[in-house]
Amino acid sequence: MIISRPQTGKVRTRRNFVMSFLVGLFLIAPWVVLPEGSPLIRLDIPHRVFHLFGGLFIPQEGLILWFFLLTMGLSLFFFTSVIGRVWCGWGCPQTIYTDLFDRIGRFVLDSKYGKKDASIVGKYTVYFLWIVVSFIASFHWIAYFVSPYVMLADFVNLSFVNQTYFYFTLFFTAAMFIDIGFIREQFCRYACPYARFQTLLMDEHSWNVTYDFKRGEPRRDGKTKIGDCVACNMCVVVCPTGIDIRDGLQVGCVACGKCVDACTSIMARENKKTLIGYFSLKQIETGAKIKWIRPRTVIYAILLTVVITGAIIQLVTRTPMSMIAASNKSMPPILIPDNKIRAFVALRIQNIAPIEKEFQLSASDTRHGKEILIRSGEENNRFKLGSGEIKSISVVLETQSLTEQELNEGYLPGSIVLKNAQDPDERLEKKLSLTLPRR
């Protein structure tokens, strides 16, 4: 486990602001409840719904999930190719919480933090505070799946033992304490998958934390001054993963910028510009400006734009209702007097709007353009569903009188329509093929 030396500077100040914002957002978001009563963000697995900014999404909307995952993947590709490992240094929870744990350690132990001669009481105080932070973070992580108000009430009333979320909270608390407290940089260097393929996404024009080897090398050797690098090794001392940025781009570099602030302060004493900063490799080699627009970034940008556009279209044209229709296999369609067909269909209807709505059912014979009588047990086939509520019903379909030719067609293509009773334009249609009984 590496405990790096603290470092102040412009990059550190900016990272403090970004990290504070991200941690604050993470802690506040699950507590926010919108005016209509739905949470701002929650993945409600037991009820199989996902609340997101007032929208309600269900697992059957696989295309929206596909767009979301594709957007995340292409965003990673695009931003890495342009500005390097910005996620690792500025947004990754591993980096943020490692920094927070270090702050706690230094607050309690001061200069003894990370030293073997630190007091036992101090060490265990640090461990205790780490566990508290891990529990708070884990509690809020689980709060994205379970109401934090319900969990808090259960914890206060000591009625949490039989709740599943309690054991998940304990597991993530232990995992975070072990990972951030003791594994740390080993995860970034040996386990993080992103670190493995970053070199495939970056090129010589990517803007990343880079060492200016043309100015810095060869390094100062004793009193012999050749390059600008004074061989102070401060860039290594402050590095949270223990690498030497002067050896070039490495898997272990998380682009946190601590070496930038360290080198800036050292070079300021020499009245020179920093040797480590946010540069591109090509910029250092030739002195040319960064080439932001290049085939790699253009391709990623086009793909990302197409996917985001598709996602927006899908969300705008999305119908906030769901219906699954299936013929009752145990009760096949039958022929009744007057050459009518009676069929039995099972429906599963869900309101995926953030408010209560009234729905109405209707059915039609799509081949012959005739209405099909539908009996659902509800008055005028109307019923109300609250936000996220599911209704499973069995309906009876009854066709109008069919001719001999129509009866001999083998099957009858029909459709069941679910529409908003207050807004007929908001409708969902499901095709249904009714097998005609043999005569």
Side-chain angles (χ1 to χ4, degrees):
M1 181 180 75
I2 293 176
I3 297 178
S4 59
R5 182 183 295 182
Q7 179 63 50
T8 58
K10 290 184 178 179
V11 177
R12 172 76 268 181
T13 302
R14 293 166 184 167
R15 284 181 65 230
N16 285 342
F17 174 78
V18 173
M19 290 180 176
S20 299
F21 171 77
L22 293 177
V23 172
L25 184 65
F26 171 74
L27 297 178
I28 294 172
W31 296 91
V32 177
V33 178
L34 300 177
E36 61 269 17
S38 63
L40 181 68
I41 303 175
R42 183 167 305 149
L43 180 57
D44 192 342
I45 295 178
H47 296 93
R48 294 174 176 81
V49 293
F50 181 30
H51 300 269
L52 182 62
F53 304 119
L56 199 66
F57 302 89
I58 58 176
Q60 287 80 2
E61 297 180 287
L63 187 58
I64 294 178
L65 175 62
W66 181 81
F67 273 123
F68 174 77
L69 295 176
L70 203 55
T71 299
M72 294 298 100
L74 288 173
S75 296
L76 185 68
F77 289 5
F78 173 72
F79 288 109
T80 303
S81 67
V82 175
I83 52 179
R85 293 181 66 174
V86 63
W87 164 254
C88 292
W90 295 70
C92 178
Q94 184 83 8
T95 304
I96 293 176
Y97 283 109
T98 296
D99 187 75
L100 180 58
F101 274 34
D102 281 347
R103 287 173 181 266
I104 294 172
R106 293 191 183 94
F107 175 79
V108 175
L109 296 174
D110 198 24
S111 61
K112 294 294 184 180
Y113 175 57
K115 305 286 181 63
K116 292 183 179 180
D117 58 345
S119 69
I120 297 297
V121 175
K123 284 184 179 180
Y124 281 98
T125 301
V126 170
Y127 293 159
F128 172 76
L129 293 176
W130 284 358
I131 291 173
V132 171
V133 171
S134 298
F135 176 79
I136 294 173
S138 300
F139 178 92
H140 284 82
W141 168 241
I142 300 300
Y144 284 89
F145 300 86
V146 182
S147 170
Y149 296 99
V150 172
M151 290 196 295
L152 183 60
D154 287 345
F155 278 110
V156 171
N157 298 324
L158 301 178
S159 57
F160 52 82
V161 176
N162 296 323
Q163 301 295 335
T164 304
Y165 67 75
F166 171 66
Y167 298 99
F168 275 100
T169 304
L170 287 184
F171 170 79
F172 284 111
T173 298
M176 180 174 173
F177 172 68
I178 295 171
D179 176 34
I180 308 298
F182 304 99
I183 296 177
R184 296 195 171 201
E185 78 286 345
Q186 304 304 318
F187 178 85
C188 300
R189 298 181 68 171
Y190 303 112
C192 180
Y194 176 48
R196 291 291 176 270
F197 61 78
Q198 62 157 333
T199 52
L200 297 176
L201 304 177
M202 298 170 60
D203 56 25
E204 66 273 15
H205 296 286
S206 298
W207 191 61
N208 197 39
V209 175
T210 311
Y211 169 62
D212 189 346
F213 58 89
K214 293 196 71 174
R215 283 180 47 218
E217 299 297 321
R219 304 170 198 172
R220 178 178 295 181
D221 182 13
K223 294 184 179 181
T224 304
K225 186 176 179 182
I226 307 175
D228 285 350
C229 180
V230 297
C232 65
N233 290 331
M234 279 296 296
C235 54
V236 180
V237 173
V238 301
C239 180
T241 59
I243 67 163
D244 190 340
I245 190 65
R246 295 170 295 182
D247 294 337
L249 180 64
Q250 299 161 67
V251 169
C253 178
V254 295
C256 64
K258 290 182 70 175
C259 55
V260 177
D261 286 333
C263 190
T264 300
S265 63
I266 296 298
M267 285 293 102
R269 301 172 188 174
E270 304 278 328
N271 294 319
K272 294 181 179 179
K273 293 183 179 180
T274 181
L275 292 170
I276 305 174
Y278 284 89
F279 311 121
S280 72
L281 187 60
K282 199 71 173 178
Q283 187 179 16
I284 290 174
E285 291 177 342
T286 65
K289 293 183 178 180
I290 297 177
K291 189 177 181 181
W292 300 104
I293 301 175
R294 50 192 191 275
R296 181 191 298 261
T297 57
V298 170
I299 292 173
Y300 290 153
I302 291 174
L303 291 175
L304 187 58
T305 302
V306 170
V307 170
I308 291 177
T309 302
I312 293 174
I313 293 174
Q314 184 68 22
L315 290 172
V316 170
T317 59
R318 172 178 177 262
T319 304
M321 60 183 75
S322 171
M323 179 172 62
I324 299 175
S327 299
N328 193 324
K329 300 299 181 182
S330 62
M331 299 177 67
I334 60 174
L335 181 65
I336 61 175
D338 295 332
N339 282 352
K340 296 180 179 181
I341 299 298
R342 180 175 292 166
F344 308 90
V345 178
L347 299 179
R348 185 181 183 275
I349 300 167
Q350 184 173 11
N351 175 18
I352 52 177
I355 58 174
E356 181 185 73
K357 288 188 177 182
E358 184 177 9
F359 298 95
Q360 184 172 26
L361 285 168
S362 61
S364 63
D365 174 355
T366 56
R367 175 180 286 172
H368 308 107
K370 299 178 181 179
E371 183 182 358
I372 295 178
L373 178 66
I374 181 169
R375 295 187 178 94
S376 62
E378 304 287 345
E379 186 178 355
N380 296 324
N381 295 318
R382 287 182 175 229
F383 51 89
K384 292 183 178 180
L385 291 178
S387 176
E389 187 177 351
I390 299 174
K391 185 179 184 66
S392 296
I393 56 174
S394 294
V395 298
V396 179
L397 303 180
E398 190 174 299
T399 68
Q400 298 184 23
S401 297
L402 301 178
T403 64
E404 291 295 328
Q405 180 180 354
E406 291 171 345
L407 286 172
N408 292 326
E409 290 176 343
Y411 73 98
L412 185 69
S415 70
I416 298 179
V417 176
L418 176 68
K419 62 181 179 182
N420 184 345
Q422 282 72 42
D423 184 7
D425 292 333
E426 192 177 279
R427 62 198 301 274
L428 184 63
E429 182 177 359
K430 290 293 181 181
K431 302 294 183 182
L432 195 66
S433 181
L434 304 177
T435 302
L436 297 176
R438 294 183 179 180
R439 305 180 62 200

